[in-house]
Amino acid sequence: MSSLVEFVKVDTCDNPTDHEDKLKVCNHFSIGLYKKREDKIIVLSCLALLFVVASCLAVCGYSGYNKPIIYGDFEAQRHWMEVTVNLPISKWYFYDLDYWGLDYPVLTAYHSWILGKISQKFNSSWVELDKSRGIEQIELKLFMRFSVIITLMLIYVPALILLVIQNEGKQNKISFLQLAQVLLFPGLLFIDCAHFQYNHLSLGLFLWAILAFDKGKLFLGSILFVLALNHKQMELYHALPVAVFLFSRSFKRGQSIFAAIVESISNLSKLAFVVFDTFFILWVPFLLPHPSVALQVLKRLFPFYRGLFEDKVANFWCCASIFIKFKQIYSVEKLIKISTLLVLSTCLPSLYCLLSKPNGRNFRLSLIICSLSFYLFSFQVHEKSILLVGIPALLLLDDKTLGNSMGILLSTCCFSLYQLCIKDGVPEMLPFFIFYHLFNVWMEKERAKKLNLVKEENKMKIMVI
């Protein structure tokens, strides 16, 4: 606004020197307006492209399509809507567990209830108790598909764009290609828009939490992360780095020992209070009927009875089981202990670095390393869990030293999902994965060229001086 005032005053200035200064201000203001307008066009173009790609994927087949009696994830999501709108909360996690019983945290249940209530406004038969099982009406498919795309665009995408702008916008203008590279990550788009799930909700809340942490808003970030964790329990993959980051940021240095200890304890107590309160508010509806209801929820969240891994997930246990039959040699309890030990031992180095230097880059690196450790070595891993590795990697694509590695990691994340694509009858995702990989390689070459140009320019400046 002040620049605009200066612009108006230019013509009233009599001093030529002042006049030149005012013109510089005007030029700066005009360039700023142009840059903002250009950034908006880039963001809107990427959003339009994302919407088109997501809509195209929504036309593809989905998990369990035309596969009675149990169907697949599409039916699971619909069934949870059916259960939550027709039964009291105390029965949500008990009802007919053999047919897609609820096995995600309470925020997923609340989300299903909201969608169920909305769906009843369109057609109550979509969520009629028991009678609606296996329903595959076109109208229902459209409703479900758009429920994914809408929340994707409202929760996940804005957080990701803001983080990209935060990284890229400090020195350079936002690049359409860089933003598209981040937004069009095929792994998430396949799992949510084709396979059919709502992982973007927990991942979106997780990204909002990172944004809050970057701004120094630890309490808000903690609330957002607790919400993410209560939507999908796989956010536990990120829990260790988040906990260490919060602990390290809460610990005060550079003061007298007594004052530092008192303030650190105070900060940690406040964080603990915020986290506990958020958990309590979310879980209190399940605690009020009877504590056994909440215990049942916990049992459903950690289904150890399913075994060490599912299907052909691309982790250590699945690969090594070709040579060593772990399930036959060791009991479930023994495997849980071994997997826990492996996860913790592979996480510790990055957590130590984060504790020593809790900056944004180390935080993101620790998120990637710890989530990869969980994916490779933890007990009961699903193919989609690789998304917990991929999403933090998106935030380091612009890193000067790690950008290339992150591109390769993202491509690997995509290809690890291909077995699931075949299972869902969507093998046509392979060209999308290949194109994204080639795009990552090309983008890294372009970044390298820009870095070399900058280095040469700096050398020239030094030589001139």
Side-chain angles (χ1 to χ4, degrees):
M1 187 66 187
S2 60
S3 299
L4 187 59
V5 172
E6 297 294 338
F7 175 76
V8 173
K9 289 181 178 179
V10 167
D11 291 334
T12 64
C13 182
D14 296 327
N15 190 322
T17 305
D18 290 343
H19 188 75
E20 289 178 5
D21 292 339
K22 302 299 183 183
L23 284 174
K24 288 179 181 178
V25 171
C26 295
N27 289 334
H28 178 73
F29 177 71
S30 301
I31 292 169
L33 282 178
Y34 177 77
K35 186 177 182 297
K36 287 181 180 179
R37 190 180 297 114
E38 190 178 15
D39 288 348
K40 286 180 181 178
I41 292 171
I42 289 171
V43 171
L44 290 173
S45 301
C46 285
L47 288 175
L49 180 60
L50 174 62
F51 181 80
V52 170
V53 172
S55 300
C56 290
L57 289 175
V59 178
C60 298
Y62 51 82
S63 173
Y65 177 62
N66 277 337
K67 293 180 181 178
I69 304 172
I70 200 71
Y71 297 95
D73 278 9
F74 181 90
E75 170 62 11
Q77 303 291 337
R78 189 215 58 79
H79 178 63
W80 296 340
M81 290 159 49
E82 167 196 341
V83 168
T84 53
V85 296
N86 288 293
L87 298 174
I89 286 180
S90 59
K91 294 184 179 180
W92 285 2
Y93 285 85
F94 288 91
Y95 187 76
D96 198 359
L97 300 181
D98 291 332
Y99 187 84
W100 295 115
L102 258 170
D103 55 3
Y104 283 112
V106 296
L107 200 58
T108 291
Y110 298 145
H111 175 237
S112 297
W113 179 82
I114 292 170
L115 288 179
K117 286 295 182 182
I118 296 172
S119 69
Q120 284 181 325
K121 302 293 182 182
F122 291 95
N123 191 335
S124 60
S125 67
W126 293 347
V127 288
E128 194 173 358
L129 191 62
D130 294 336
K131 295 180 181 179
S132 59
R133 291 188 178 185
I135 188 171
E136 291 184 329
Q137 293 179 6
I138 296 295
E139 295 82 3
L140 172 63
K141 291 178 185 178
L142 286 172
F143 171 79
M144 298 284 280
R145 290 298 198 185
F146 275 104
S147 71
V148 168
I149 294 174
I150 289 170
T151 50
L152 178 78
M153 303 294 280
L154 290 179
I155 296 176
Y156 170 80
V157 170
L160 196 53
I161 289 175
L162 288 173
L163 284 165
V164 170
I165 291 173
Q166 178 180 273
N167 293 340
E168 301 289 344
K170 289 178 181 178
Q171 298 176 349
N172 307 309
K173 67 178 182 179
I174 302 168
S175 164
F176 172 82
L177 293 176
Q178 287 173 329
L179 190 57
Q181 184 184 18
V182 172
L183 291 180
L184 297 178
F185 173 48
L188 179 67
L189 294 180
F190 161 67
I191 290 292
D192 280 14
C193 297
H195 178 77
F196 197 86
Q197 287 192 2
Y198 294 93
N199 298 290
H200 61 274
L201 285 173
S202 61
L203 293 170
L205 290 167
F206 163 68
L207 290 173
W208 281 109
I210 291 180
L211 198 60
F213 292 146
D214 287 347
K215 301 294 183 182
K217 299 177 181 179
L218 302 186
F219 295 143
L220 177 60
S222 299
I223 292 171
L224 290 166
F225 184 73
V226 170
L227 291 175
L229 184 57
N230 277 278
H231 187 268
K232 296 283 185 182
Q233 65 267 40
M234 64 182 185
E235 275 298 327
L236 283 169
Y237 285 28
H238 295 147
L240 287 176
V242 169
V244 170
F245 179 79
L246 289 173
F247 176 81
S248 187
R249 280 293 181 91
S250 300
F251 189 76
K252 296 299 176 182
R253 301 172 178 85
Q255 303 176 11
S256 66
I257 296 176
F258 179 76
I261 291 173
V262 170
E263 191 170 353
S264 299
I265 292 173
S266 174
N267 290 336
L268 288 170
S269 300
K270 290 175 184 176
L271 275 174
F273 181 77
V274 167
V275 170
F276 176 81
D277 275 10
T278 308
F279 267 105
F280 181 76
I281 291 169
L282 291 171
W283 282 73
V284 71
F286 295 88
L287 292 167
L288 288 176
H290 195 273
S292 61
V293 178
L295 287 174
Q296 174 67 6
V297 177
L298 290 174
K299 288 178 183 178
R300 295 294 298 164
L301 298 187
F302 302 102
F304 296 119
Y305 61 88
R306 289 184 182 176
L308 191 57
F309 57 87
E310 287 190 16
D311 296 329
K312 295 180 175 64
V313 62
N315 74 346
F316 168 78
W317 299 113
C318 184
C319 296
S321 65
I322 298 172
F323 309 101
I324 305 171
K325 305 302 178 184
F326 295 104
K327 295 179 182 179
Q328 298 175 11
I329 299 172
Y330 301 106
S331 64
V332 171
E333 292 77 13
K334 190 77 172 179
L335 287 172
I336 291 172
K337 291 177 182 178
I338 294 171
S339 61
T340 303
L341 182 63
L342 282 172
V343 169
L344 292 176
S345 60
T346 50
C347 286
L348 282 176
S350 70
L351 293 175
Y352 175 76
C353 292
L354 179 60
L355 183 64
S356 304
K357 195 174 181 181
N359 56 38
R361 187 174 185 269
N362 282 350
F363 181 41
R364 286 158 172 74
L365 270 174
S366 186
L367 287 168
I368 295 168
I369 293 168
C370 290
S371 55
L372 188 58
S373 296
F374 270 92
Y375 179 80
L376 291 175
F377 301 114
S378 66
F379 192 93
Q380 233 305 298
V381 175
H382 190 279
E383 294 96 333
K384 69 179 179 185
S385 301
I386 196 65
L387 298 179
L388 279 295
V389 181
I391 299 304
L394 291 172
L395 306 181
L396 285 177
L397 274 172
D398 65 324
D399 190 272
K400 293 179 181 179
T401 56
L402 294 171
N404 186 38
S405 300
M406 293 302 106
I408 294 170
L409 179 60
L410 287 167
S411 299
T412 306
C413 291
C414 293
F415 287 117
S416 73
L417 293 168
Y418 187 60
Q419 180 62 35
L420 189 61
C421 296
I422 295 173
K423 185 179 177 181
D424 286 352
V426 196
E428 54 268 24
M429 284 299 299
L430 183 59
F432 190 13
F433 292 164
I434 293 172
F435 174 79
Y436 188 73
H437 171 67
L438 295 175
F439 183 58
N440 285 340
V441 172
W442 181 77
M443 284 293 292
E444 185 52 37
K445 288 182 178 179
E446 291 299 308
R447 287 193 188 96
K449 287 180 183 177
K450 288 181 181 178
L451 284 174
N452 289 332
L453 285 173
V454 171
K455 288 179 181 178
E456 289 178 5
E457 287 177 1
N458 291 335
K459 286 180 181 179
M460 292 295 292
K461 288 178 182 177
I462 293 170
M463 290 174 66
V464 170
I465 293 171

